[in-house]
Amino acid sequence: MAGSALDTSSTDEARARLADQLLARRWVTSPAVEAAFRRVPRHLFATHGISIDAAYADDVVITSRGPDGRATSSISAPWLQAYMLEQAGLRPGARVLEVGSGGYNAALIADVVGPEGTVVTIDIDANVIERARTGLDRAGYQQVTAVHGDGEYGHQPGAPYDAIIVTVETPDLPPAWLDQLAPAGVLIVPLRMRGMTRCLTLRRHEDHLLAAAALQCGFVPMQGDGRSPARRLALRGDDVVVVLDDTTAEVSLDALAAALHTQRLEAWSPVTITMEEGSSFESLHLWLASQPRPFGTLAVDRERSAGLVDPQDRFVCPTLLTADSFAYLAMRKLDDTTWQFGTHGFGPDADTLATDMLDLITVWDHHHRHSPGPKITVHPTGTHPPEPDGPQLLVTRRHAAIMVTWSASEQPR
Ligand SMILES: C[S@@+](CC[C@H](N)C(=O)[O-])C[C@H]1O[C@@H](n2cnc3c(N)ncnc32)[C@H](O)[C@@H]1O
C-alpha cells in the first residue's frame, strides 16, 4: 500500500472481517454491496494515525470537529452506509449524487455502479473534499467527481440522478434534490422530524414523496444555506439539555432550569420491554413525538447528571413539556431480561405530564407497537398534504411539509 507503514495483509484481513460482520448482521444483503465492502480500503479515507482496528471497526470515525468540539465531519458507520446502499438498490451504470463527502462512501457507490456509472460527491468543507479526492485517487476510484459546494443546491451538471444519497442530517428537502432526481429515482435522506432523525428511503408518489423505509440514525447536521439547527435549552450547562425542534413550543429556559431543582416525580407503566426488542424504541419515540402538544428531546451527560436525571436515552429522549415543566421517558430494570417503561417529571405540571406519558405509552403498546410503523410522506411546498386518517405529526419546514401518520385501524392486541 503506497505511502503508509500499515501492513497490507492486516488491512486486507480487517476489511474482510468487516465485510463478514456486515453480512452476518444482514446490513449487507446483495453481492454488489458485499463486493464493494470487500474491495474499498477504508483506512485510506481515515485521518492519519488511526489504527487498522479503528479504521475497520463497524463504527463512525470522526474526521473533524468544530470550535465547540462537536463533530462536523466523519466517515459514517459501515452498517449505516451498507443500509443506505442496499436501500438505494443501485444498478451498474446508475447516476448517483452523494451529499456530504469523505470519499469512502463515494468509493463504495462507485464500486457498485461500476465503470459505466456516474458518481458525484459534494461537500461544503474544502478540506473534506481535498481529503476525499486524495483517498479516492489512492484507492483507484478516479472516476468519482468530488465537488466543493453547498449540497443544498445539489449538482446540476450531473443530473438527473437515479439516486441521491444524503449523508448529513437535514431538517428539510431542498427543491434542488427533487429537481435533480430522475422521475423513478430514489432519495435516501436522514430527515429530522421534531428532533427524531430517520433515514428515509423516499420515492415519488403522486405529487409527494413516500417513504418505503425509515431507520433511526444520527448524522452531523447540515451547514450552509440549509442549516437550521434545533434550539438547545441548556438547563445545567451541557449536562442537561432540552432540544426543541419545534418553533411553536413556548417554553421558558429559566422556568425549566428551575424545574430541575424540584422533587423528581417517578411514575411507572405496566408496559415492559425485553432487550431483544430493541427496535421498539424507534417506534415509541416517534409515536411520542407525533402528539399535538409541546415536545422536545433531552440530551444528558450521564456521569455529570447522575442522580438528577436518568432518561431512557441519553442523546435523544422524548420529553413532554409545558412552559415550566417537563417529563421524559424513563426505564427501569425488572429482572435480567425485562425493563419497565415509565417517566420522570419535574416542575409544577409534573403530575399531569407523567399521567399523559403513561397513557401515551399504553396507547402505543395496544395499537402501534406491533405494527410496521407510521406512514411517512413529504409534501413539497405548493402541494397539499391530505386530511389525516389517524393520529399524525405534521412538521412544516421552509421547502416541504413532513407528515407522519399512524394508522387508526389497527386492532388492539
Ligand atoms: C457524516 S459526513 C459524510 C460522510 C461520508 N459520506 C462518508 O464517506 O462516510 C457529513 C459531511 O457533510 C458535510 N456537509 C455539511 N453540510 C453540508 C452541505 N450543506 N453541503 C454539503 N456537505 C455538507 C460535512 O462537511 C461532512 O463532511
Side-chain angles (χ1 to χ4, degrees):
M1 192 186 61
S4 164
L6 293 177
D7 176 62
T8 306
S9 65
S10 58
T11 56
D12 288 351
E13 281 163 20
R15 191 160 62 249
R17 210 166 37 240
L18 173 62
D20 290 344
Q21 272 174 26
L22 295 172
L23 265 177
R25 293 177 189 155
R26 310 263 326 133
W27 291 114
V28 166
T29 52
S30 71
V33 174
E34 178 188 348
F37 275 98
R38 292 202 182 283
R39 268 194 289 260
V40 181
R42 193 172 191 249
H43 63 277
L44 294 186
F45 300 92
T47 30
H48 288 297
I50 188 169
S51 70
I52 298 176
D53 281 353
Y56 286 97
D58 190 6
D59 203 357
V60 62
V61 176
I62 307 290
T63 47
S64 65
R65 294 184 185 276
D68 59 359
R70 284 173 213 280
T72 55
S73 190
S74 60
I75 311 181
S76 304
W79 66 266
L80 187 49
Q81 294 174 316
Y83 172 82
M84 294 172 108
L85 279 172
E86 294 291 4
Q87 285 295 319
L90 300 173
R91 304 215 175 277
R95 306 179 65 80
V96 185
L97 172 67
E98 182 197 38
V99 177
S101 191
Y104 177 61
N105 196 47
L108 292 171
I109 298 169
D111 202 276
V112 173
V113 302
E116 306 300 315
T118 300
V119 183
V120 178
T121 180
I122 184 166
D123 203 287
I124 201 160
D125 182 336
N127 294 326
V128 172
I129 282 299
E130 197 184 313
R131 194 164 31 78
R133 182 71 274 159
T134 306
L136 285 162
D137 291 345
R138 287 178 70 197
Y141 295 92
Q142 289 86 353
Q143 74 272 33
V144 174
T145 304
V147 179
H148 175 218
D150 190 339
E152 169 89 356
Y153 304 103
H155 185 67
Q156 181 60 43
Y161 299 102
D162 300 304
I164 298 181
I165 301 179
V166 181
T167 63
V168 58
E169 174 207 285
T170 175
D172 202 352
L173 286 196
W177 297 351
L178 300 184
D179 293 347
Q180 295 172 23
L181 189 68
V186 61
L187 177 57
I188 315 282
V189 59
L191 194 61
R192 196 182 77 220
M193 305 162 277
R194 260 197 160 183
M196 309 275 146
T197 305
R198 297 290 181 270
C199 180
L200 302 183
T201 303
L202 293 170
R203 288 195 179 77
R204 286 194 172 89
H205 180 75
E206 298 166 356
D207 65 352
H208 59 275
L209 295 129
L210 174 64
L215 182 77
Q216 184 170 17
C217 64
F219 276 92
V220 301
M222 186 102 169
Q223 302 167 43
D225 289 353
R227 182 175 182 274
S228 176
R231 212 170 117 210
R232 290 169 56 84
L233 302 181
L235 305 193
R236 210 179 78 150
D238 269 350
D239 300 357
V240 183
V241 179
V242 171
V243 181
L244 291 176
D245 185 19
D246 194 333
T247 46
T248 57
E250 285 180 17
V251 295
S252 146
L253 168 60
D254 291 344
L256 290 184
L260 201 54
H261 297 292
T262 61
Q263 168 109 34
R264 175 165 109 185
L265 181 143
E266 300 196 4
W268 297 100
S269 153
V271 179
T272 59
I273 187 167
T274 60
M275 280 305 122
E276 289 79 63
E277 285 180 80
S279 60
S280 287
F281 291 119
E282 284 189 50
S283 152
L284 176 56
H285 284 197
L286 202 50
W287 166 248
L288 294 172
S290 297
Q291 306 310 313
R293 56 184 302 155
F295 177 87
T297 55
L298 192 72
V300 303
D301 182 304
R302 272 256 199 262
E303 275 176 24
R304 293 203 303 256
S305 63
L308 184 62
V309 288
D310 189 13
Q312 174 265 320
D313 185 310
R314 73 189 165 105
F315 299 113
V316 186
C317 193
T319 304
L320 305 182
L321 298 163
T322 60
D324 57 6
S325 309
F326 63 99
Y328 57 76
L329 182 68
M331 214 170 63
R332 69 178 175 187
K333 196 172 181 177
L334 288 184
D335 57 42
D336 282 350
T337 54
T338 315
W339 295 71
Q340 180 179 25
F341 285 119
T343 184
H344 295 165
F346 296 83
D349 298 329
D351 216 352
T352 315
L353 290 178
T355 305
D356 291 353
M357 177 71 91
L358 298 192
D359 288 349
L360 287 168
I361 294 171
T362 301
V363 175
W364 168 77
D365 183 52
H366 285 180
H367 297 277
H368 304 299
R369 181 176 191 163
H370 302 283
S371 80
K375 178 169 144 187
I376 304 180
T377 51
V378 182
H379 304 262
T381 303
T383 62
H384 297 286
E387 284 301 311
D389 57 0
Q392 59 119 25
L393 166 67
L394 182 66
V395 180
T396 307
R397 306 288 198 193
R398 186 151 63 107
H399 300 300
I402 309 157
M403 256 182 102
V404 179
T405 307
W406 297 80
S407 166
S409 57
E410 281 151 34
Q411 297 303 310
R413 281 185 303 151

